Amino acid sequence: MKSQARSMLLVLLLPCLTGCWDQRELKEIRIEQAEAFDMLENNKIRFTITIPTNKSSIPSQSSLAVPSIGAEGRTINEAYMEMKKTVSQDLDFGKVRVMLINKRFAEKGFYPALESYYREAHSPINVKMAIVDESAGDMLKLKAADRSLVSEYLYDLLQSGEENGLIPQASPYLIASLITNRGIEAAIPIINPKGSDRAKLSGLALLHGKRMTGELNDKESIVFVMLSKHNPDYFTVTVHADALKANVSLFMTRDNRSISIKTGNGSAKVVLSANFTCDLVEIPYMVHVDEELLKKVGSELEQRLNEEAKVVIKKLQQASCDALGIGLVIKAHHNRYWKSVNWDTIYPEMDIEPNFKVTIDKSGIME
């Protein structure tokens, strides 16, 4: 009797069960893999996407085509609607891996390109962002021989750059709080084409608010990562060591990073400290490196890195870009001072001193 009652209850509950209300059939959509936004000279916006397509009933590497489709409009939504007039099915951006923006758009303010990521429920999370000097759309036409999809190639390029300490992480979601929260700002990788089949990490775009206000070159971007909270497994640095009278390469790991701030009389002095442990991995042939020589090389490297860090900090201040998060520390630990100053005015003139400490732990394999 009890089992019959349970069965009846289950039958009565069946109409209350909901189905998959938000399902989207794969056969009814075209999946975007990469997006590019270009602001043109006439201030119109060109929106370009890649939509991988299998042209054979039996999917294979050779049957995969990756067309790029673009359209122009006065706004991104107008360009998107123009694009939909030429695409046979609905477009879905839930699998986008790479977003590219040209420098003209970044300098004008590219927030409209990010809005859909914050608005749509099915927007992708794991997206890499980058700025392109000239045409972002042309970057989607690269033909990398070792990748079938340009989106895979560009994604892996940015991913490996992050892991190797060449650039910081950047995505629509990572920079969302940075462009709306006072006290910290964003730095986005710059990539540019290198021939018809490759791209190269060229540096960092510095943001103030919602637009690009300056940039660092590729070598300066490594020093920026050393100064920033981003901490990859290791950094690779090559310098000329006067003590060895030769060029040497080192693997560096950052042990700690701290920001100390002293305020008083309406001003603040900031010291940004970081300690590194290094392995000297490439040294001249037949040079015996003893402990005293290692200290001299470490001292040289320390001095050189501090000089380069001062240049990077100056460029950040000139761009009014607090990508190191100094304002956030002041807001948290010196809130009375924070409220008494105009941060946008005082940050470019603030006294910020880098303090790198370097210890060389090992030298080569045989030593």
Side-chain angles (χ1 to χ4, degrees):
M1 194 70 180
K2 287 183 178 179
S3 61
Q4 289 180 347
R6 288 173 183 168
S7 299
M8 284 294 294
L9 181 61
L10 288 173
V11 171
L12 291 172
L13 288 174
L14 280 175
C16 301
L17 298 177
T18 58
C20 188
W21 60 272
D22 63 343
Q23 69 177 352
R24 306 189 76 189
E25 295 288 343
L26 190 60
K27 64 183 180 181
E28 297 174 357
I29 60 176
R30 302 299 302 277
I31 297 176
E32 301 175 28
Q33 285 280 321
E35 294 184 337
F37 301 88
D38 288 292
M39 179 167 283
L40 307 177
E41 291 184 1
N42 58 6
N43 287 331
K44 281 192 173 183
I45 295 171
R46 182 167 182 81
F47 182 24
T48 309
I49 63 171
T50 60
I51 44 174
T53 305
N54 264 307
K55 290 193 170 184
S56 171
S57 57
I58 304 175
S60 68
Q61 192 83 355
S62 59
S63 66
L64 185 65
V66 191
S68 62
I69 301 171
E72 295 178 16
R74 292 166 295 178
T75 66
I76 290 175
N77 278 315
E78 185 175 67
Y80 179 69
M81 293 307 298
E82 286 297 317
M83 187 186 299
K84 290 186 73 172
K85 294 175 184 178
T86 65
V87 180
S88 58
Q89 294 168 296
D90 285 339
L91 294 170
D92 183 275
F93 82 124
K95 300 295 182 183
V96 169
R97 307 200 75 196
V98 177
M99 171 198 270
L100 304 178
I101 298 163
N102 80 328
K103 186 184 286 187
R104 183 190 298 272
F105 197 2
E107 290 175 340
K108 291 281 186 179
F110 60 90
Y111 186 75
L114 304 177
E115 282 188 326
S116 59
Y117 287 84
Y118 308 141
R119 184 175 60 245
E120 300 294 337
H122 64 286
S123 59
I125 295 176
N126 193 19
V127 182
K128 302 292 184 188
M129 282 184 69
I131 306 295
V132 182
D133 282 343
E134 299 298 332
S135 172
D138 286 349
M139 288 286 289
L140 300 186
K141 298 176 183 178
L142 293 177
K143 304 292 182 183
D146 56 342
R147 290 290 188 277
S148 57
L149 301 177
V150 66
S151 56
E152 287 182 354
Y153 167 65
L154 294 174
Y155 183 93
D156 290 343
L157 175 67
L158 293 166
Q159 178 76 23
S160 63
E162 294 168 5
E163 292 171 353
N164 293 323
L166 305 177
I167 54 173
Q169 295 177 325
S171 75
Y173 292 100
L174 285 174
I175 72 167
S177 61
L178 305 184
I179 61 179
T180 57
N181 186 16
R182 286 179 57 77
I184 187 168
E185 283 163 313
I188 300 176
I190 299 174
I191 60 173
N192 286 303
K194 189 179 181 182
S196 61
D197 61 346
R198 291 286 161 187
K200 181 184 178 182
L201 299 172
S202 303
L204 287 179
L206 306 178
L207 272 61
H208 176 58
K210 298 176 182 178
R211 66 185 188 90
M212 177 180 171
T213 54
E215 63 182 279
L216 303 175
N217 62 35
D218 55 347
K219 290 181 172 58
E220 292 167 342
S221 68
I222 298 174
V223 179
F224 168 82
V225 178
M226 289 180 172
L227 288 165
S228 73
K229 65 178 182 180
H230 305 282
N231 194 15
D233 292 336
Y234 65 90
F235 302 90
T236 302
V237 175
T238 299
V239 296
H240 181 83
D242 293 335
L244 297 175
K245 298 179 181 179
N247 297 316
V248 296
S249 290
L250 304 100
F251 288 162
M252 305 177 62
T253 56
R254 192 173 69 198
D255 302 319
N256 55 64
R257 169 188 181 266
S258 63
I259 298 176
S260 62
I261 299 167
K262 292 182 179 180
T263 61
N265 299 322
S267 63
K269 178 176 174 58
V270 179
V271 178
L272 206 161
S273 302
N275 295 339
F276 296 88
T277 301
C278 308
D279 291 349
L280 191 58
V281 295
E282 189 174 342
I283 57 178
Y285 178 63
M286 295 299 289
V287 173
H288 175 67
V289 183
D290 57 22
E291 188 174 340
E292 190 65 31
L293 203 53
L294 285 180
K295 286 182 179 179
K296 288 181 179 179
V297 175
S299 179
E300 279 184 47
L301 179 60
E302 198 172 275
Q303 182 179 353
R304 194 160 303 173
L305 286 176
N306 279 310
E307 290 171 358
E308 292 174 358
K310 288 178 182 178
V311 174
V312 169
I313 290 169
K314 190 64 179 176
K315 286 192 174 184
L316 287 167
Q317 290 181 286
Q318 288 171 346
S320 296
C321 175
D322 183 16
L324 299 174
I326 294 169
L328 215 57
V329 177
I330 292 177
K331 188 194 294 188
H333 300 286
H334 302 271
N335 193 255
R336 184 177 297 177
Y337 172 78
W338 171 265
K339 290 181 177 179
S340 69
V341 300
N342 183 332
W343 182 245
D344 290 342
T345 302
I346 200 169
Y347 170 71
E349 304 298 329
M350 183 172 285
D351 184 5
I352 305 173
E353 189 74 23
N355 182 27
F356 282 167
K357 296 294 182 183
V358 175
T359 302
I360 299 180
D361 190 38
K362 298 177 184 176
S363 58
I365 297 174
M366 305 299 291
E367 294 285 336

